[in-house]
Amino acid sequence: MADRNTEAMETEMQIGNGKTPEDGEDSVQRRDVQVQGSVMPQTEWSLRQGWNALIWYGGSVFDAWINAVAAQVGSVILTLPYTLSQMGYGLGIGFQFIYGAFGCWTVYLLSYLYAEASARTRRTGLLHQRHILQYHEVIGIVAGKWLGRITLGFNMTALTFACVLQLIACSSDVYYMNSSWNKREWLYLFGFLALPTVLLPSLHNFRVVSLLGIATTTLTSAYMTVAAVQHGQIENVKHQGPKSMVQFFSGATNILFAFGSHGLCIELMEAMWKPKNYKYAYAAAVLYTYLLTIPDSVSVYWAYGDTLLHNSNAFGVLPHSKMKNVSIIAMILHQYVAFMLNVNPLFLAWEKAVGVHTSKRFAVRAAVRIPVVLLTWFLALAIPFFGPINSVMGAFLISFSVYIIPSIAFMRAYIKKEFEE
């Protein structure tokens, strides 16, 4: 009986960490029920299985979609009106469609690269069964170790600053609701509250968290649109568009950041029962992103015009109200969701560096993750800027991880394969 209990626990832990056999969800569930049925009554297991399937084991296309949306849309909702003031209506909206389309294309490329890397490793048994493939590993397997190392540097830096940005955004948002503490003092609190994020095992277990993220950003987008329209245009409002190339490219890089969630797309594929369908989930996530970002950014820019050039955060111009406070709280919740999503690949990379990634003791892995959170907390305190970080990340980090690296890797992988054939 002890052996059967141990086997059951290992099987459940394997699914909880997002690792599934290649033959799909149904076969995993059939084997799991068979094993678990030997150690507990069938009725009790059915209830437990149903509960876990409802809130915990998320490997469907729907789960991939909600994870992608939650990762894609975040604090950028608050900075896109500022971006439109830098670029104007036409260029600002047009570049959202252009970058979104390019993002879908590179995800399509990455899905092929992931399939190739998975075929070379999983089916040949080169990797431990509990090993979760990551972006830089996929690139290294299919396009060469040197490009994999470059990808590791760019992607880990981008994800680190994405996490830093979420903490900074929390303090920036709450300051508009309560200025009794300065923004750095709020960061002490929010950094401490980020520590429990080490307890979520993998992106396979984010269903409830990501649904919360979508609900909060949808609420905030709706509030911004309605509040701006109800307020109307300010006196002598101006919409001059870009006044310099610096303004234009600063706005363009902020939009680039809005469609730059590629840094964790391999981990999201790994969490799926059928990873090949991730490209469809991502395309749907981009469409939903347009639904959220275009109405609110256009409405706020229409109402406040070029005064937004001096307010990178839309909460800085919207009038005080109870609904604004609700939206601020909603955005803080979402920024914690975004933090949890972006920090997960950092956790995995650090676990591998320390040598505990395939450990069956999750408590050990959770303890090892704590320094990662402490590092992001320290960086947020050291660099308490909000809008500028979006532009810097878009220009120097997201541009490589979203567009340049996947394209180079795809060409290297398949041109080399053609010559070999």
Side-chain angles (χ1 to χ4, degrees):
M1 179 64 73
D3 292 339
R4 287 198 299 270
N5 280 327
T6 301
E7 185 181 0
M9 290 173 64
E10 290 177 358
T11 303
E12 185 174 357
M13 186 180 296
Q14 196 175 0
I15 298 175
N17 283 330
K19 307 306 297 173
T20 61
E22 294 186 3
D23 50 359
E25 178 180 9
D26 293 337
S27 60
V28 173
Q29 290 181 343
R30 282 196 300 269
R31 280 199 293 270
D32 204 40
V33 169
Q34 185 178 5
V35 174
Q36 296 286 354
S38 63
V39 297
M40 67 174 62
Q42 184 66 35
T43 302
E44 182 181 348
W45 166 242
S46 296
L47 291 173
R48 181 177 177 182
Q49 184 189 32
W51 176 255
N52 287 339
L54 179 64
I55 67 167
W56 191 242
Y57 297 151
S60 66
V61 175
F62 172 75
D63 291 298
W65 176 75
I66 60 175
N67 287 338
V69 171
Q72 191 95 323
V73 186
S75 57
V76 74
I77 277 185
L78 304 175
T79 59
L80 278 176
Y82 166 67
T83 297
L84 287 190
S85 70
Q86 294 175 310
M87 301 180 69
Y89 285 116
L91 291 172
I93 296 172
F95 268 74
Q96 287 191 52
F97 284 107
I98 291 171
Y99 284 149
F102 283 161
C104 289
W105 171 245
T106 50
V107 163
Y108 183 73
L109 298 182
L110 284 172
S111 67
Y112 270 91
L113 296 176
Y114 169 79
E116 180 75 17
S118 184
R120 293 186 190 181
T121 55
R122 292 269 159 68
R123 295 172 188 172
T124 56
L126 293 179
L127 291 179
H128 192 282
Q129 189 178 9
R130 298 174 60 83
H131 187 101
I132 298 177
L133 277 173
Q134 292 189 265
Y135 192 169
H136 62 277
E137 293 173 326
V138 167
I139 300 299
I141 291 168
V142 300
K145 292 183 178 179
W146 67 271
L147 188 56
R149 294 190 186 102
I150 292 173
T151 305
L152 173 64
F154 273 106
N155 201 41
M156 292 298 109
T157 305
L159 289 169
T160 299
F161 278 96
C163 295
V164 168
L165 179 63
Q166 304 311 320
L167 295 180
I168 294 173
C170 286
S171 64
S172 178
D173 293 346
V174 76
Y175 185 77
Y176 291 109
M177 186 172 68
N178 185 341
S179 58
S180 59
W181 288 3
N182 63 43
K183 294 180 182 180
R184 182 171 272 109
E185 288 173 332
W186 280 113
L187 268 174
Y188 286 112
L189 173 63
F190 290 123
F192 176 76
L193 294 176
L195 287 171
T197 59
V198 303
L199 300 176
L200 274 174
S202 77
L203 293 174
H204 194 72
N205 313 114
F206 270 62
R207 178 177 293 173
V208 173
V209 172
S210 293
L211 283 173
L212 174 64
I214 293 176
T216 51
T217 49
T218 302
L219 173 67
T220 302
S221 176
Y223 156 73
M224 290 171 61
T225 303
V226 173
V229 171
Q230 285 183 343
H231 180 274
Q233 291 184 314
I234 61 174
E235 187 177 356
N236 298 322
V237 65
K238 295 181 180 179
H239 304 90
Q240 294 182 344
K243 298 178 181 178
S244 67
M245 295 299 287
V246 173
Q247 269 192 3
F248 170 79
F249 283 109
S250 296
T253 52
N254 188 41
I255 295 175
L256 182 61
F257 176 73
F259 296 94
S261 62
H262 292 51
L264 67 156
C265 69
I266 298 299
E267 289 83 354
L268 291 175
M269 292 181 197
E270 281 278 83
M272 295 181 68
W273 303 119
K274 296 180 180 179
K276 65 181 180 181
N277 292 330
Y278 178 75
K279 53 185 176 288
Y280 307 120
Y282 182 83
V286 168
L287 293 176
Y288 194 78
T289 300
Y290 293 148
L291 181 64
L292 294 184
T293 58
I294 292 177
D296 64 358
S297 59
V298 168
S299 300
V300 175
Y301 181 50
W302 169 82
Y304 296 97
D306 291 343
T307 59
L308 287 162
L309 289 170
H310 309 291
N311 288 280
S312 61
N313 190 327
F315 284 143
V317 297
L318 292 169
H320 291 285
S321 67
K322 291 182 179 179
M323 195 60 206
K324 179 180 177 179
N325 291 341
V326 170
S327 296
I328 289 173
I329 295 171
M331 281 308 300
I332 291 172
L333 290 173
H334 178 271
Q335 279 145 6
Y336 269 103
V337 172
F339 181 91
M340 285 187 277
L341 286 163
N342 285 289
V343 81
N344 192 267
L346 298 176
F347 288 158
L348 299 179
W350 181 241
E351 288 172 10
K352 293 170 186 176
V354 176
V356 301
H357 177 59
T358 57
S359 173
K360 295 180 180 179
R361 296 182 177 181
F362 180 70
V364 173
R365 293 168 52 207
V368 164
R369 294 174 172 188
I370 293 175
V372 177
V373 179
L374 294 178
L375 174 63
T376 58
W377 187 7
F378 170 78
L379 291 174
L381 289 167
I383 318 171
F385 309 112
F386 182 58
I389 288 185
N390 285 359
S391 297
V392 170
M393 284 188 61
F396 296 106
L397 299 172
I398 303 299
S399 58
F400 276 87
S401 63
V402 173
Y403 301 117
I404 299 173
I405 289 176
S407 301
I408 292 175
F410 189 85
M411 288 188 290
R412 277 188 56 83
Y414 287 98
I415 287 175
K416 182 179 178 181
K417 193 172 182 180
E418 286 181 5
F419 278 116
E420 288 176 351
E421 291 176 354

